[in-house]
Structures are given as C-alpha cells and as structure tokens.
C-alpha cells in the first residue's frame, strides 16, 4: 500500500522557506524536511496539511497551491509526497514536537541532509514559475529575436522548438555548455539595468552581460551598439560589474575580435 503524504512550503518576505529537522528515533533522524505528514483516509490535501501544521508548528494555514508530487520507494515502504505552497498562515511557527526549525533560501539547502523525496521539492522551487515554448522559426535570426523577446519579458525557462533546423546546426548547438541563470545573474542584471541604465525593452541585454560576467566569460560578442557595444556605455557596464564583484567581459562586435593566429 502506498502512503499519501503532504508537505507544506512556508515562505517569508526574504524568499526563505521553512525546514524542520526530524527528531532522534524517527525514520531518517537528523535530516531536514518540509513540515507535514500522513494524509488520513478521506482527507483532502489542504485538510491534512492544516491538521499537521497546527500539530507540528502551532499555525493555521489559509490557501494552498499544489507544487509537485514525488513518488518514492523506500526499502520498507512506498510513498507519494505531495508538496504544496502555503500562500498565507497565521501564527509564528514553533517546533511543538521539539524539532529544530530553520529558514533557508532554496540554494542554501545544497549539502543539507534531506530525505530523498524532499530534494526534488527544492529543485522545483528554484525553477521559474513560467515556462515558454517557442514556435517553429522560419530562420535563425527570427529564432534569436523570439528568444530575446521572451527574456526581455521576464521569462527565464525556454524550450526551443526547432524540428526543421538542419541537423548540422543542431549538432553544433548540442556541444555547447549551458550557463545557468542563477540568483547572482538575476541580481547583476537588475543592477546593470539601474546603473547603466538599460531600458526595460532591452532587459535581455542586461541578462546577456550578467550571464557572461558571473560565469567568467572573456568576451561578449554582439551587434547591439545601442545598448551594449558603444564607447559611452562600456565603462558604465564595467563599473557595475566590478561593483558586484565580477570581472566584466570584453564587449565587442564580431568584427572587432581578431581572427585566430595561423599556425606556422
């Protein structure tokens, strides 16, 4: 029989989430989990979570929103863990079962011992809430324009549809490493937009620069001389990157980049 379990994701104004430590003697004692517990027969997710969080933390919850369900097979039992965002709650969480509590940003849980089904919840929390799928492009230029438009609108997770792109072009893309849009990239992009400044319609340009700087790229090649590659803005971009503790990339057009030296 598969046990149905619910976990609540409580957040604060700083973007942190609440984790509870399993007490000595419990299954996987000492690990950190999202608080919750077993769903009783006939209970809804919200009713079970309301009961569990009142017992464990002494709080009353309001609206909840399902985030992810994780099936997991332990040696001794199988479970499905249903994780729900708690949109509002009343009271101050306290460990009513003498369990330790910690408020952490999702990326601060890296290396923290957690029950295996709880780890995918952290991964889900770090994903953007919106996921864009592009239409089939008529050309490479159109495809890049679509992606720039999506980035400028705030989208951070994109699926590129390119069923009819030539096989050799797809093969070239497959070998390229992917650069994560981590918190440092987002923070630097916002700082660049304010300091340079970069207008909202060109927000994707700030993301391009921030990604290159945070990941230590030596060059950023662009034909955008309006918002990036010009003599007025380059010093401002470099200053904003260094103020954030990042070395800026050398911004230039492809024509400015010298050709590779020929072997003698």
């Amino acid at each position: 029989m598969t046990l149905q379990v619910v976990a609540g994701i409580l957040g604060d104004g700083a973007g942190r989430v609440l984790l509870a430590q399993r007490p000595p003697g419990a299954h996987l004692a000492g690990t950190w989990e999202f608080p919750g517990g077993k769903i009783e027969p006939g209970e809804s997710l919200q009713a079970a979570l309301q009961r569990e969080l009142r017992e464990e933390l002494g709080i009353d919850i309001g609206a909840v929103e399902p985030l992810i369900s994780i099936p997991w097979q332990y040696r001794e039992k199988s479970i499905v863990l249903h994780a729900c965002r708690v949109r509002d709650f009343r009271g101050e969480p306290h460990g009513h079962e003498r369990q330790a509590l910690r408020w952490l940003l999702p990326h601060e849980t890296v290396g923290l011992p957690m029950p295996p089904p709880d780890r995918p919840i952290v991964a889900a929390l770090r994903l953007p809430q919106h996921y864009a799928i592009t239409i089939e492009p008529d050309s490479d230029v159109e495809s890049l324009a679509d992606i720039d438009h999506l980035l400028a609108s705030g989208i951070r997770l994109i699926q590129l549809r390119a069923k009819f792109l030539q096989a050799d072009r797809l093969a070239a893309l497959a070998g390229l490493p992917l650069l994560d849009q981590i918190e440092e990239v987002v923070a630097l992009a916002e700082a660049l937009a304010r300091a340079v400044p970069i207008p909202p319609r060109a927000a994707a340009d700030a993301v391009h620069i921030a990604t290159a700087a945070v990941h230590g790229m030596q060059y950023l090649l662009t034909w955008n001389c309006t918002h990036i590659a010009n003599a007025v803005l380059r010093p401002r971009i470099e200053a904003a990157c260094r103020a954030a503790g990042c070395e800026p990339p050398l911004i230039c057009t492809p024509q400015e980049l010298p050709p590779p030296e020929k072997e003698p």
Side-chain angles (χ1 to χ4, degrees):
M1 179 178 176
T2 300
L3 294 176
Q4 303 295 318
V5 182
V6 64
I9 303 162
L10 280 72
D12 66 4
R16 300 180 301 176
V17 293
L18 184 68
L19 295 177
Q21 188 175 38
R22 291 192 179 183
H27 179 240
L28 299 177
T31 58
W32 293 86
E33 66 180 352
F34 291 93
K38 180 182 175 183
I39 302 173
E40 299 295 343
E43 269 190 322
S44 67
L45 288 178
Q46 179 153 356
L49 194 57
Q50 172 72 278
R51 174 180 52 78
E52 288 286 347
L53 296 188
R54 184 183 292 131
E55 293 172 359
E56 291 185 19
L57 305 176
I59 63 172
D60 289 310
I61 65 172
V64 302
E65 178 182 297
L67 175 67
I68 188 174
S69 293
I70 305 105
W72 195 265
Q73 180 66 57
Y74 289 108
R75 181 175 299 177
E76 67 277 14
K77 61 183 177 181
S78 64
I79 71 167
V80 177
L81 177 60
H82 304 279
C84 298
R85 292 181 186 269
V86 177
R87 288 304 183 188
D88 60 272
F89 61 90
R90 294 173 297 281
E92 184 69 24
H94 294 285
H96 282 209
E97 299 174 350
R98 297 187 178 181
Q99 72 274 38
L101 303 177
R102 293 177 70 179
W103 290 95
L104 295 171
L105 294 170
H107 73 270
E108 293 176 333
T109 65
V110 175
L112 195 70
M114 301 182 76
D118 283 70
R119 185 61 67 185
I121 300 175
V122 176
L125 287 172
R126 299 186 71 179
L127 289 174
Q129 292 188 0
H130 301 286
Y131 175 32
I133 302 175
T134 67
I135 62 173
E136 189 71 32
D138 291 332
S139 67
D140 292 353
V141 172
E142 182 184 271
S143 176
L144 290 173
D146 286 343
I147 293 173
D148 273 350
H149 176 74
L150 289 169
L151 290 172
S153 68
I155 296 294
R156 293 294 176 265
L157 184 61
I158 299 172
Q159 177 185 333
L160 174 64
R161 296 188 58 147
K163 293 183 290 184
F164 302 107
L165 196 63
Q166 295 179 5
D168 59 335
R169 306 296 296 275
L170 283 174
L173 290 174
L176 296 175
L178 299 178
L179 301 180
D180 293 332
Q181 299 298 327
I182 55 178
E183 286 85 353
E184 293 85 349
V185 170
V186 176
L188 179 54
E190 292 173 349
L192 286 163
R194 292 190 301 268
V196 174
I198 295 176
R201 68 179 182 277
D205 296 329
V207 174
H208 296 161
I209 299 166
T211 302
V214 169
H215 289 283
M217 299 293 100
Q218 187 175 3
Y219 294 100
L220 176 59
L221 302 184
T222 179
W223 287 113
N224 186 346
C225 296
T226 302
H227 301 121
I228 300 181
N230 70 59
V232 174
L233 297 185
R234 278 172 177 158
R236 299 179 191 171
I237 291 169
E238 292 170 0
C241 288
R242 292 189 174 110
C246 297
E247 186 61 25
L250 179 59
I251 298 172
C252 60
T253 66
Q255 286 185 333
E256 292 178 287
L257 191 66
E261 295 182 2
K262 295 182 179 180
E263 295 184 3

